[in-house]
């Protein structure tokens, strides 16, 4: 993204770039056929269930002024509008936890003011949204999004972990409330007797932990030993919503001799009931707000504008990281301008605004990467089998697949064809061909090239960039409003379990979280970190520096989290997040070496130019390192909060001697390569200090592959 602060230039550039590919945004989605339903359904449940939970939370925090109906309507309407006229279709909009916190603080403030009271809460919130929209317009026009590159990992990961803590906090608070008497309830009812309240709380624990554990387990279904591949894939893709249905069904088991209301279920007025549409006419009450409070609404509006600017931009950034290999341009400035209009609309309608959400936005991109992978994989499998039936050599087979891959790439009107190509064949495949007597120019079969497994290693990460999945999931969220009588059958404890699930799901791949775990790892076991996939800072940054940097980040996180507990002043936590930009740029370099900050918290403008896939692999893991494919992105390729894919090293035959055809293949993991930090973490002198002798642990030598080239070259070798 070009860094420009010329008024309107950023918006103009965004519109110019996105309009050129607008038609293809729609045609690409329809060409995917029924397969587009998989990412649509996945992101729909990831969006709808938290929004329903936030509605339940707002209903209790605002004395019924806002309910799940309003949060669902806001998410659906804003999502539909953004998917049609928005810039970046990968960005998912919804009512987020920080918005719930801000509205809770605002309600607590209003109901204590004699001039306002709870009856003018939505009217005053409307003025807050008016001011917020004005500030967002100003930020978009002046090109404030140009500094998005300066939101480094320390800010992104800290904000991501803060969201996870807020999710988990809500889950815990919700479960504690299951043991208490809800507000505005008749305390004389049997269900609120101490014994039945305890029974309700214990049953809520069963339902919440049941959903949490089974949902986490179902996400790993592809690695199960039992069941067919299609069944395991179905459970992995749809297991979480299925578990919601299962545990909702379990909640109806104790029917006899149990008071009505146990377990407690979602409470929200139906969209056609009288109390459900009172807020839709809030614009009539906005003039009843005293002028002093209209001006004073600028204060919380400033906090919300900063929050939305940061949250919306970072969510968009995480959804289009370089590791996703996106080909269409970004749209930060225009999307922020559109967010201003959406915020204004929501304020006038009396519903909470929606903005770009984390982790749903990067989850959407990952699900579309899986879709693109499946489409490419089917084409390459058919090409490989056809070539093997014609007794093609390994070089010809690779060349044919490379040609089929490029045929699947639709060049954009204003861009050249994609420069991406298939990854190189694994050394194990080449070694197996040689050791079994099948040389590169000899016909190959399934014993040399396993079509079902090898193709996953060849495909690079790509994303099916389109608008159809976004608008479909938004329409489904809107349909939940009409289905409110059915949704009210879901126990609130199931929603708390889903909150905990979302919090835990967002932790893997967060480098900040991994460093916290490293601090609690026993010194005698820290070297184990280097024997599996790990971030490069583990090898290049002294452990003491890692500790100090992590402690600083943890203290800052706790301060931000603590602010959310402070009445009224809690709205300042977005400013604390924004403050990290100058802190990182001017304060941290005084206490940490530049090279160490480069590895621990590299901003985009500080990073070295991106390396090709194979060269990057050799740089991080040593020459010859290869990676597993991304067929199961949602399970095995977690992303960091900045969007990097976690690749798992593929087994590779590295012995220089031939392997008998009937002997099992020896496998050596790249993780056994020598690292300069492994001796430090083990507490022994480094053997590398005196140079590499005959007993150096790094003995692995890998010959360059002649097949990782263009199809023409590959065919010429055969």
């Amino acid at each position: 993204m070009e860094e420009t602060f010329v008024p309107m230039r950023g918006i103009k550039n965004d519109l110019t770039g996105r309009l050129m590919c607008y038609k293809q945004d729609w045609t690409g989605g329809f060409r995917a056929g029924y397969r587009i339903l998989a990412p649509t359904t996945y992101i729909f449940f990831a969006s709808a269930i938290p929004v329903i939970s936030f509605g339940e939370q707002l209903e209790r925090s605002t004395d019924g002024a806002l309910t799940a109906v309003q949060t669902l309507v806001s998410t659906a309407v804003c999502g539909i509008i953004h998917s049609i006229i928005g810039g970046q279709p990968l960005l998912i909009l919804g009512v987020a936890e920080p918005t719930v916190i801000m509205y809770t603080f605002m309600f607590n403030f209003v109901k204590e003011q004699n001039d306002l009271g709870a009856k003018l809460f939505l009217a005053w919130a409307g003025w807050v949204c008016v001011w917020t929209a004005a500030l967002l317009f100003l930020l978009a026009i002046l090109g404030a999004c140009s500094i998005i590159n300066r939101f480094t990992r320390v800010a992104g990961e800290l904000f991501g972990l803060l969201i996870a803590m807020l999710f988990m906090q809500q889950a815990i608070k919700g479960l504690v409330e299951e043991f208490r008497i809800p507000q505005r309830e008749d305390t004389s009812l049997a269900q609120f007797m101490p014994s039945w309240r305890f029974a309700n709380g214990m049953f809520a624990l069963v339902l919440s932990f049941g959903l949490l554990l089974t949902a986490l387990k179902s996400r790993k279904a592809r690695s199960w030993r039992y069941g067919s591949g299609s069944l395991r894939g179905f459970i992995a893709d749809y297991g979480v919503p299925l578990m919601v249905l299962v545990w909702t069904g379990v909640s109806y088991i104790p029917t006899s001799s149990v008071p009505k209301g146990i377990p407690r279920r979602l409470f929200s007025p139906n969209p056609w009931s009288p109390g459900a549409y009172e807020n839709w006419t809030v614009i009539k009450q906005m003039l009843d707000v005293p002028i002093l409070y209209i001006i004073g609404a600028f204060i919380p509006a400033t906090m919300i504008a900063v929050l939305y600017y940061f949250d919306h931009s970072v969510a968009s950034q995480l959804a289009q990281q370089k590791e996703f290999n996106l080909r269409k341009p970004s749209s930060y400035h225009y999307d922020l301008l559109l967010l201003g209009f959406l915020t204004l609309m929501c304020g006038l309608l009396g519903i909470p605004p929606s903005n770009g959400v984390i982790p749903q936005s990067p989850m959407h991109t990952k699900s579309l990467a899986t879709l693109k992978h499946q489409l490419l994989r089917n084409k390459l499998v058919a090409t490989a089998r056809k070539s093997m039936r014609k007794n093609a050599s390994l070089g010809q087979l690779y060349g044919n697949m490379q040609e089929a891959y490029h045929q699947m790439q639709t060049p954009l009107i204003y861009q050249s064809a994609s420069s991406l190509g298939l990854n190189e064949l694994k050394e194990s495949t080449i070694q197996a061909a040689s050791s079994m007597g099948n040389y590169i120019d000899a016909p190959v079969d399934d014993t040399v090239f396993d079509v079902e497994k090898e193709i996953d290693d060849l495909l690079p990460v790509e994303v099916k960039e389109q608008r159809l999945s976004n608008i479909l999931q938004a329409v489904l969220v809107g349909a939940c409003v009409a289905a409110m009588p059915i949704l009210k059958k879901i126990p609130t404890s199931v929603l708390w379990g889903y909150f905990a699930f979302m919090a835990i799901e967002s932790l893997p791949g967060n480098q900040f979280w991994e460093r916290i775990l490293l601090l609690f790892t026993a010194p005698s076991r820290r070297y184990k970190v280097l024997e599996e996939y790990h971030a490069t800072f583990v090898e290049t940054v002294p452990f003491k520096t890692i500790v100090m940097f992590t402690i600083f980040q943890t203290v800052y996180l706790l301060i931000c989290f603590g602010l959310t507990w402070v009445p009224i002043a809690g709205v300042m936590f977005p400013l604390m997040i924004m403050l990290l930009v100058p802190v990182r740029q001017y304060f941290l370099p005084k206490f940490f070496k530049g090279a160490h900050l480069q590895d621990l918290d590299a901003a985009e403008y500080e990073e070295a130019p991106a390396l090709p896939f194979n060269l990057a692999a050799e740089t991080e893991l040593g020459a010859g390192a290869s990676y597993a494919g991304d067929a199961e992105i949602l399970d095995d390729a977690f992303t960091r909060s900045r969007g990097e894919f976690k690749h798992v090293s593929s087994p590779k035959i590295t012995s220089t001697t031939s392997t008998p055809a009937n002997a099992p293949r020896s496998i050596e993991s790249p993780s056994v390569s020598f690292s300069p930090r492994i001796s430090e973490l083990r507490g022994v002198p480094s053997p590398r200090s005196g140079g590499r002798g005959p007993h150096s642990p790094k003995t692995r030598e890998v010959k360059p592959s002649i097949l990782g080239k263009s199809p023409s070259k590959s065919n010429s070798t055969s």
Side-chain angles (χ1 to χ4, degrees):
M1 178 179 61
E2 178 187 358
E3 191 167 305
T4 175
F5 296 98
V6 178
M8 296 297 296
R9 177 176 293 181
I11 297 175
K12 179 182 177 181
N13 293 341
D14 290 346
L15 284 173
T16 302
R18 293 306 309 191
L19 284 175
M20 288 183 177
C21 54
Y22 185 79
K23 180 180 178 180
Q24 195 176 51
D25 285 342
W26 292 104
T27 57
F30 285 106
R31 287 175 181 172
Y34 72 93
R35 293 182 181 274
I36 199 67
L37 296 178
T40 297
T41 306
Y42 174 75
I43 202 62
F44 158 65
F45 279 99
S47 297
I49 293 180
V51 167
I52 295 172
S53 301
F54 293 145
E56 171 68 16
Q57 181 180 350
L58 275 174
E59 190 275 333
R60 292 183 293 107
S61 301
T62 62
D63 294 340
L66 294 171
T67 66
V69 172
Q70 283 76 38
T71 56
L72 286 170
V73 168
S74 174
T75 301
V77 173
C78 294
I80 292 173
I81 294 175
H82 178 81
S83 62
I84 296 175
I85 63 175
Q88 179 51 258
L90 299 178
L91 182 63
I92 299 296
L93 269 62
V95 177
E97 175 74 1
T99 300
V100 176
I101 294 176
M102 303 289 284
Y103 264 64
T104 300
F105 286 136
M106 289 162 54
F107 179 80
N108 292 334
F109 169 76
V110 166
K111 71 178 182 179
E112 294 177 358
Q113 308 303 313
N114 296 329
D115 296 337
L116 292 176
K119 64 179 181 179
L120 289 179
F121 161 62
L122 293 178
W124 186 68
W127 284 111
V128 173
C129 290
V130 170
W131 284 114
T132 301
L135 292 172
L136 292 176
F137 293 154
L138 187 63
L139 290 172
I141 292 173
L142 297 180
C145 289
S146 295
I147 65 173
I148 188 62
N149 294 339
R150 310 214 175 177
F151 287 122
T152 61
R153 182 178 288 121
V154 68
E157 292 190 339
L158 190 146
F159 187 70
L161 200 54
L162 176 62
I163 296 298
M165 291 176 66
L166 294 176
F167 270 52
M168 186 60 71
Q169 171 190 264
Q170 184 56 40
I172 296 173
K173 289 173 63 177
L175 285 176
V176 172
E177 290 296 325
E178 297 287 342
F179 289 88
R180 298 174 178 172
I181 300 177
Q183 298 178 0
R184 307 187 312 275
E185 294 289 349
D186 185 1
T187 58
S188 63
L189 296 177
Q191 67 194 63
F192 298 129
M193 294 176 57
S195 58
W196 285 117
R197 281 193 285 115
F198 179 78
N200 178 79
M202 296 304 296
F203 194 27
L205 290 175
V206 172
L207 295 176
S208 297
F209 279 95
L211 173 71
L212 174 61
L213 297 177
T214 54
L216 291 173
K217 188 68 175 179
S218 67
R219 298 291 290 119
K220 304 297 182 184
R222 286 189 175 92
S223 61
W224 291 357
R225 298 175 56 187
Y226 308 103
S228 63
S230 59
L231 176 61
R232 296 196 306 270
F234 177 81
I235 295 176
D237 291 336
Y238 304 102
V240 176
L242 285 176
M243 291 304 103
V244 173
L245 297 178
V246 168
W247 288 100
T248 299
V250 170
S251 69
Y252 280 94
I253 293 179
T255 55
S256 59
S257 68
V258 175
K260 184 180 180 180
I262 296 181
R264 298 170 190 169
R265 304 185 187 277
L266 177 65
F267 175 81
S268 181
N270 294 324
W272 51 82
S273 62
Y277 54 81
E278 291 179 354
N279 61 300
W280 307 120
T281 58
V282 70
I283 190 173
K284 297 180 180 179
Q285 298 178 306
M286 290 180 64
L287 294 179
D288 296 334
V289 179
I291 185 64
L292 180 62
Y293 290 97
I294 293 177
I295 299 175
F298 181 80
I299 298 176
T302 303
M303 308 299 176
I304 296 178
V306 172
L307 170 65
Y308 282 5
Y309 163 72
F310 178 82
D311 202 4
H312 200 72
S313 299
V314 171
S316 182
Q317 184 187 46
L318 298 185
Q320 47 188 330
Q321 284 295 295
K322 292 182 179 179
E323 288 74 15
F324 289 126
N325 294 320
L326 302 183
R327 299 173 57 206
K328 297 179 181 179
S330 61
S331 182
Y332 291 102
H333 306 277
Y334 171 68
D335 282 345
L336 190 65
L337 180 70
L338 179 61
L339 178 63
F341 285 106
L342 296 178
T343 301
L344 178 62
M345 178 195 69
C346 290
L348 298 180
L349 291 177
I351 57 179
S354 294
N355 66 285
V357 287
I358 303 172
Q360 288 90 335
S361 295
M363 287 169 60
H364 184 215
T365 306
K366 285 190 290 181
S367 64
L368 293 175
T370 301
L371 172 63
K372 186 64 176 286
H373 183 95
Q374 292 170 344
L375 296 175
L376 290 172
R377 187 180 188 279
N378 293 339
K379 177 68 174 179
L380 263 62
V381 166
T383 301
R385 294 196 183 282
K386 181 179 179 180
S387 299
M388 293 171 71
R389 286 195 297 268
K390 294 182 178 180
N391 296 323
S393 67
L394 192 58
Q396 293 172 333
L397 174 67
Y398 183 85
N400 293 337
M401 290 191 298
Q402 188 79 274
E403 182 180 356
Y405 171 81
H406 285 293
Q407 291 176 354
M408 290 284 288
Q409 304 299 313
T410 304
L412 301 178
I413 299 174
Y414 60 97
Q415 288 183 340
S416 59
S418 173
S419 59
L420 290 176
L422 296 180
N423 300 326
E424 292 186 7
L425 285 171
K426 294 189 301 183
E427 286 295 322
S428 57
T429 303
I430 302 174
Q431 293 278 357
S434 301
S435 63
M436 299 179 68
N438 295 322
Y439 293 95
I440 302 301
D441 57 350
V444 296
D445 54 21
D446 288 332
T447 60
V448 176
F449 185 83
D450 191 330
V451 175
E452 296 297 330
K453 296 180 180 179
E454 300 281 351
I455 287 180
D456 286 335
D457 292 315
L458 298 179
L459 287 174
V461 176
E462 290 189 67
V463 175
K464 189 70 174 177
E465 301 179 63
Q466 42 72 50
R467 295 178 181 268
L468 188 59
S469 61
N470 199 335
I471 192 172
L472 288 179
Q473 69 86 23
V475 170
L476 290 175
V477 171
C480 291
V481 178
M484 187 56 66
I486 299 176
L487 297 177
K488 290 165 67 174
K489 298 181 181 298
I490 300 177
T492 54
S493 53
V494 170
L495 300 185
W496 309 143
Y498 192 84
F499 264 73
F501 168 77
M502 291 288 288
I504 295 176
E505 275 285 282
S506 65
L507 294 179
N510 188 309
Q511 190 183 101
F512 180 19
W513 173 251
E514 292 172 352
R515 281 189 273 108
I516 292 176
L517 296 181
L518 181 63
L519 299 189
F520 289 95
T521 303
S524 59
R525 307 282 296 178
R526 286 177 189 151
Y527 73 93
K528 291 287 186 180
V529 175
L530 295 176
E531 295 185 354
E532 57 187 17
Y533 178 86
H534 59 277
T536 55
F537 74 87
V538 179
E539 300 187 38
T540 59
V541 181
F543 184 71
K544 181 182 291 186
T545 303
I546 295 175
V547 171
M548 296 304 297
F549 189 83
T550 305
I551 291 177
F552 159 77
Q553 214 171 351
T554 303
V555 172
Y556 204 98
L557 171 66
L558 294 178
I559 293 175
C560 294
F561 180 70
L563 280 177
T564 64
W565 286 74
V566 181
I568 302 301
V571 297
M572 294 179 58
F573 82 90
L575 293 181
M576 294 295 296
I577 301 295
M578 291 292 297
L579 187 62
L580 279 173
V581 174
V583 167
R584 165 61 179 89
Q585 193 167 1
Y586 302 108
F587 180 77
L588 291 182
K590 296 181 179 180
F591 297 91
F592 299 94
K593 294 182 179 180
H596 296 162
L597 284 177
Q598 175 75 15
D599 292 330
L600 289 170
D601 183 48
E604 184 175 344
Y605 61 86
E606 292 177 337
E607 291 174 351
L611 297 175
F613 181 87
N614 290 322
L615 182 56
E618 294 177 3
T619 302
E620 292 187 12
L621 294 177
S626 66
Y627 291 97
D630 302 291
E632 297 179 4
I633 292 178
L634 300 182
D635 292 319
D636 297 327
F638 296 107
T639 61
R640 308 180 195 280
S641 66
R642 281 171 55 88
E644 301 98 312
F645 270 84
K646 169 185 175 182
H647 297 278
V648 183
S649 299
S650 301
K652 185 176 293 186
I653 297 178
T654 58
S655 173
T656 56
T657 59
S658 300
T659 304
N662 57 353
R665 300 180 181 182
S666 61
I667 297 176
E668 182 183 78
S669 171
S671 62
V672 300
S673 60
F674 180 76
S675 167
R677 290 296 311 282
I678 198 167
S679 57
E680 175 187 341
L681 295 178
R682 280 177 169 169
V684 298
S686 172
R688 197 176 265 190
S689 57
R692 186 173 299 169
H695 301 289
S696 171
K698 191 175 182 69
T699 59
R700 199 155 5 111
E701 296 181 1
V702 180
K703 300 179 180 179
S705 171
I706 64 172
L707 299 175
K709 302 178 180 178
S710 63
S712 58
K713 293 180 181 180
S714 299
N715 290 327
S716 63
T717 59
S718 60

